[in-house]
Amino acid sequence: MAGLVLLLCTVLQNEAAAQIPGSSLLTDCPPLGLETLKIDDFQLHASSMRHYGLGPHRGRLNIQGGLYEDDLYDGGWCAGRNDPLQWFEVDARRLMKFTGVVTQGRSSLWSSDWVSSYKVLLSNDSHSWVTLKNGSRDLIFSANREKEIPVLNLFPKPVVARYIRINPRSWYSSGSICMRVEIMGCPMPDPNNYYRRRNEVTTTDNLDFRHHSYKEMRQLMKVVNEMCPNITRIYNIGKSYNGQKLYAIEISDNPGEHELGEPEFRYTAGSHGNEVLGRELLLLLMQFMCQEYLSGNTRIRRLVHETRIHLLPSINPDGYEKASEAGSELSGWSLGRWSQDGLDIHHNFPDLNSVLWEAEAQKWVPRKFHNHHVPIPDWYRSTNATVAVETRALVSWMEKIPFVLGGNLQGGELVVTFPFDRTRSVTALREATPTADDHVFRWLAFSYASTHRLMTHASRRVCHTDDFAKEDGTINGASWHTAAGSMNDFSYLHTNCFELSMYVGCDKFPHETELPEEWENNRESLLVFMEQVHRGIKGVVRDVQGKGIANAIIAVDGINHDIRTASDGDYWRLLNPGEYRVTVRAEGFSVSSKVCAVGYDIGASSCDFVLGRSNLSRIREIMQKFNKQPISMRQRLRQRRLLDT
């Protein structure tokens, strides 16, 4: 029987070479999808398991374990016994041309467990198994030397089967049999396979679905600019540590200029260089918007005409190069995450939370200290500060352009997080820490998560340890894990921009073949979130001569967070539907208040203000005009005392 199975494998292998283009190249075959969750839990089996949290459903490449050991979400599959009879099995549910195996050890803060060698067995019926051979002897593959770095073993020749087993032969002497696995393989042509067709996600968008090097990214942006020269502009906000320019593309009906009353929106990606899905999504988004604009798509045309959109696809190109050199399956969980000088760019911003909260504790807010536009400490701007050059470029960009709403795309999870990202209590690892605009942030987060194909799907399994689907695919950042100096918190506290993080996929670095499906998962969400920049109120604050007033403070009753007008006097205040009393203050002008209503339809409500000069301001102007300085009350009292004596 075993010989018959082996013969069948050989025949099907030859057929596969004739039917699948490029089948002679082993590396052509993509991963089956253990990491991306395309392979369901019930397709994974094992000879034994230590406990449920270390069952075969946890044996997925790059899956992360929880903070505590021996819970329901441990970091890998671990056999119940340490002997050479153990195995980990994957049922592909159709004939596959298997070409290789990628393995890791167990993800754990406390334990060191990995498999150092293994055999591979294949079957078409899960009863009769054939071991891969090296001549007449069983082929033994060298596996891991530590627990985190993935190791790829390609087979000498592709083998066709439905089931594949990994049989550990040796393991770390101070540990036990534990693995995380990905299988490389190409599906055999089978138009009658209902299971496969039911789970396929295809796209009709004609886009460049591949991973782009730095040079290729720049070239693609240039192609988009040449296709749509009237609505796009390429610029850079600075350079990386290695001198690579941080390119952005602007999409607007009047690129290069801020238009009065038109809100500014931004998407950024790649602050962690190994989280590359966001980078590719933004490259796809700029292609899509250009094509759809040219084809007359009314939704896209409205967005372009009414919004100034900025897309920055690669904040950390140096880190991306490190990850891309290893490749999508071998870069692991952290390679390329940090900047070239070892800094986490997303959490490299000044900790303005502490500054504001200390001022609140001293009761300085709002008389002595504003509840918004919190100043950056002097030490942070010094040349000796531990600040990445990429972070400095981002800060300068965020201060230069009056952004209203932003999303930074990250990876490794399926969730949208919103500020604050740091807990008020310095000892708390997790603690809900809402902003004054918590109700608005929750809506913004839900607008993305609810339109994503998977984030709020009740039946989807968790990526790693947290079931965010129970929370509608959103979470307050500090409720997840505290982090000081995040880009989101800085944006909210130092500028007018409301910033959120979108974790757009369980796999940080998905294989190229996964990009069309990931685009379909995120496309509608990317568009819907951009449209939210038009929710709330907008207007222009002018003086009686009609000139715009810059830096006027816009305060909304009941919300302890103000914003300021841009250089031309225009402003945008994100708000949920309702009626709000809005008060405007500007130095040298009288205070003005009115009630502004926000409707349920997309489209910010206009709420303009005209401010007259204050009496004190007019007196000062008159005195300065005639070269006279106002006499202070103290001086007047002193002169009166002298006259009385």
Side-chain angles (χ1 to χ4, degrees):
M1 185 67 178
L4 179 60
V5 173
L6 182 59
L7 177 62
L8 178 60
C9 287
T10 304
V11 171
L12 289 172
Q13 174 182 322
N14 294 333
E15 291 181 0
Q19 296 183 45
I20 301 178
S23 60
S24 60
L25 298 176
L26 298 179
T27 53
D28 280 356
C29 286
L32 263 62
L34 277 75
E35 183 176 6
T36 61
L37 309 185
K38 269 192 168 183
I39 297 296
D40 294 326
D41 286 353
F42 59 78
Q43 293 177 256
L44 304 177
H45 309 278
S47 54
S48 63
M49 59 184 175
R50 192 179 304 174
H51 59 77
Y52 179 77
L54 290 168
H57 64 293
R58 301 294 295 174
R60 300 172 180 272
L61 191 72
N62 285 321
I63 202 166
Q64 299 298 292
L67 182 62
Y68 306 104
E69 298 282 87
D70 300 329
D71 61 11
L72 295 178
Y73 300 106
D74 270 328
W77 162 68
C78 289
R81 301 180 303 276
N82 290 330
D83 63 53
L85 300 178
Q86 305 306 307
W87 47 261
F88 176 87
E89 178 185 314
V90 181
D91 175 7
R93 298 189 66 89
R94 64 174 297 170
L95 289 178
M96 300 290 298
K97 183 185 68 168
F98 294 115
T99 59
V101 173
V102 184
T103 59
Q104 282 173 311
R106 175 186 177 187
S107 169
S108 171
L109 295 173
W110 319 105
S111 304
S112 294
D113 304 290
W114 63 83
V115 170
S116 53
S117 68
Y118 59 85
K119 293 181 181 180
V120 173
L121 297 86
L122 300 116
S123 173
N124 289 322
D125 58 10
S126 77
H127 297 293
S128 300
W129 294 87
V130 174
T131 304
L132 284 186
K133 301 281 187 181
N134 181 12
S136 60
R137 304 179 65 177
D138 292 349
L139 186 57
I140 297 180
F141 296 94
S142 296
N144 302 88
R145 296 184 178 180
E146 54 88 67
K147 59 187 177 184
E148 288 298 337
I149 299 176
V151 174
L152 167 66
N153 278 301
L154 292 173
F155 302 159
K157 293 182 179 179
V159 181
V160 175
R162 170 175 167 173
Y163 301 89
I164 184 169
R165 276 184 181 178
I166 313 300
N167 169 218
R169 306 304 295 175
S170 63
W171 45 93
Y172 177 50
S173 58
S174 299
S176 56
I177 297 177
C178 295
M179 300 182 76
R180 289 177 287 169
V181 177
E182 184 61 87
I183 307 296
M184 311 300 289
C186 293
M188 297 296 294
D190 186 2
N192 298 317
N193 190 301
Y194 168 75
Y195 177 84
R196 182 74 181 184
R197 286 185 285 111
R198 186 188 67 180
N199 288 278
E200 281 181 349
V201 176
T202 58
T203 182
T204 58
D205 296 328
N206 183 25
L207 307 174
D208 189 12
F209 292 107
R210 62 190 177 93
H211 289 297
H212 295 80
S213 67
Y214 178 81
K215 182 178 179 181
E216 291 167 341
M217 177 187 75
R218 176 67 181 88
Q219 182 60 33
L220 178 61
M221 296 173 77
K222 184 179 179 182
V223 169
V224 172
N225 178 238
E226 290 173 349
M227 285 180 60
C228 296
N230 296 328
I231 62 165
T232 61
R233 176 179 70 100
I234 300 171
Y235 65 101
N236 74 81
I237 69 166
K239 293 183 179 180
S240 71
Y241 185 92
N242 287 340
Q244 299 186 93
K245 292 181 179 179
L246 307 180
Y247 285 110
I249 192 167
E250 175 191 341
I251 304 176
S252 169
D253 61 340
N254 192 15
E257 294 184 25
H258 170 73
E259 298 182 64
L260 188 71
E262 186 170 291
E264 309 252 3
F265 176 92
R266 70 168 180 255
Y267 271 132
T268 57
S271 57
H272 298 147
N274 64 331
E275 295 171 9
V276 306
L277 177 55
R279 168 192 174 111
E280 296 304 329
L281 287 176
L282 292 192
L283 294 178
L284 292 168
L285 179 62
M286 63 182 70
Q287 296 173 65
F288 177 80
M289 293 192 71
C290 173
Q291 291 180 11
E292 293 299 302
Y293 184 90
L294 294 177
S295 69
N297 184 316
T298 55
R299 181 187 189 186
I300 299 302
R301 281 183 166 266
R302 187 183 303 113
L303 257 177
V304 172
H305 291 162
E306 298 178 357
T307 321
R308 191 179 181 207
I309 301 164
H310 304 257
L311 307 179
L312 178 59
S314 188
I315 293 174
N316 183 7
D318 299 347
Y320 173 80
E321 284 194 348
K322 288 182 179 179
S324 62
E325 284 176 7
S328 62
E329 272 60 64
L330 301 181
S331 59
W333 190 250
S334 60
L335 181 65
R337 174 185 176 90
W338 298 280
S339 67
Q340 182 65 29
D341 48 348
L343 298 174
D344 185 332
I345 295 173
H346 185 70
H347 298 121
N348 190 223
F349 291 82
D351 177 14
L352 301 185
N353 304 59
S354 297
V355 177
L356 176 63
W357 294 340
E358 176 63 24
E360 290 177 346
Q362 298 294 333
K363 301 187 184 301
W364 292 343
V365 179
R367 299 196 176 195
K368 294 183 179 180
F369 200 92
H370 291 298
N371 63 9
H372 66 291
H373 283 238
V374 178
I376 295 175
D378 291 338
W379 67 264
Y380 185 87
R381 294 194 185 272
S382 70
T383 55
N384 294 329
T386 308
V387 182
V389 293
E390 296 89 348
T391 313
R392 293 186 189 275
L394 285 169
V395 170
S396 177
W397 185 50
M398 294 160 75
E399 291 179 331
K400 181 180 179 181
I401 298 176
F403 291 113
V404 180
L405 179 62
N408 62 82
L409 307 187
Q410 301 191 53
E413 262 299 349
L414 277 172
V415 67
V416 180
T417 69
F418 51 90
F420 285 121
D421 288 333
R422 182 186 171 180
T423 60
R424 278 184 180 258
S425 172
V426 295
T427 59
L429 296 177
R430 297 185 180 191
E431 182 179 76
T433 310
T435 66
D437 285 287
D438 189 59
H439 55 299
V440 178
F441 273 116
R442 288 183 180 275
W443 167 255
L444 293 171
F446 184 70
S447 71
Y448 193 99
S450 63
T451 48
H452 190 279
R453 286 187 62 253
L454 299 175
M455 280 189 188
T456 56
H457 201 294
S459 64
R460 78 168 181 87
R461 77 177 300 282
V462 300
C463 290
H464 301 284
T465 62
D466 296 291
D467 188 359
F468 296 114
K470 293 180 179 178
E471 305 294 333
D472 293 325
T474 70
I475 192 169
N476 170 256
S479 291
W480 187 13
H481 52 72
T482 184
S486 76
M487 183 173 174
N488 294 354
D489 289 3
F490 172 82
S491 181
Y492 179 69
L493 293 175
H494 186 66
T495 76
N496 288 341
C497 185
F498 286 38
E499 185 100 19
L500 296 85
S501 289
M502 292 78 178
Y503 292 80
V504 291
C506 298
D507 188 351
K508 290 184 176 184
F509 198 152
H511 192 270
E512 222 166 60
T513 56
E514 302 291 337
L515 294 178
E517 181 171 349
E518 294 294 357
W519 167 246
E520 287 296 316
N521 289 342
N522 288 276
R523 180 184 56 194
E524 182 64 15
S525 299
L526 291 166
L527 297 176
V528 167
F529 186 75
M530 277 195 287
E531 292 169 337
Q532 304 313 304
V533 77
H534 297 284
R535 183 174 294 279
I537 60 174
K538 66 178 182 179
V540 182
V541 180
R542 297 183 174 93
D543 61 20
V544 292
Q545 283 78 38
K547 183 180 179 181
I549 302 173
N551 286 319
I553 297 174
I554 313 294
V556 179
D557 283 8
I559 302 178
N560 187 27
H561 180 81
D562 306 334
I563 63 164
R564 299 192 183 191
T565 55
S567 58
D568 296 327
D570 46 352
Y571 77 91
W572 307 262
R573 183 46 163 107
L574 297 176
L575 293 166
N576 286 342
E579 289 190 346
Y580 302 88
R581 175 160 290 278
V582 182
T583 302
V584 178
R585 297 179 177 85
E587 186 175 354
F589 293 89
S590 301
V591 176
S592 179
S593 296
K594 66 170 65 174
V595 174
C596 304
V598 178
Y600 285 89
D601 295 332
I602 285 290
S605 303
S606 294
C607 198
D608 298 327
F609 290 84
V610 177
L611 303 185
R613 303 292 291 186
S614 65
N615 291 334
L616 180 59
S617 174
R618 283 199 290 265
I619 290 171
R620 285 175 176 169
E621 286 181 358
I622 293 171
M623 298 299 289
Q624 289 176 358
K625 182 177 181 180
F626 294 100
N627 295 321
K628 295 180 181 179
Q629 297 299 322
I631 300 174
S632 70
M633 185 63 68
R634 182 175 296 178
Q635 290 174 318
R636 291 177 182 175
L637 290 173
R638 186 179 300 163
Q639 291 174 351
R640 185 174 298 174
R641 290 194 194 100
L642 290 173
L643 291 173
D644 290 343
T645 57

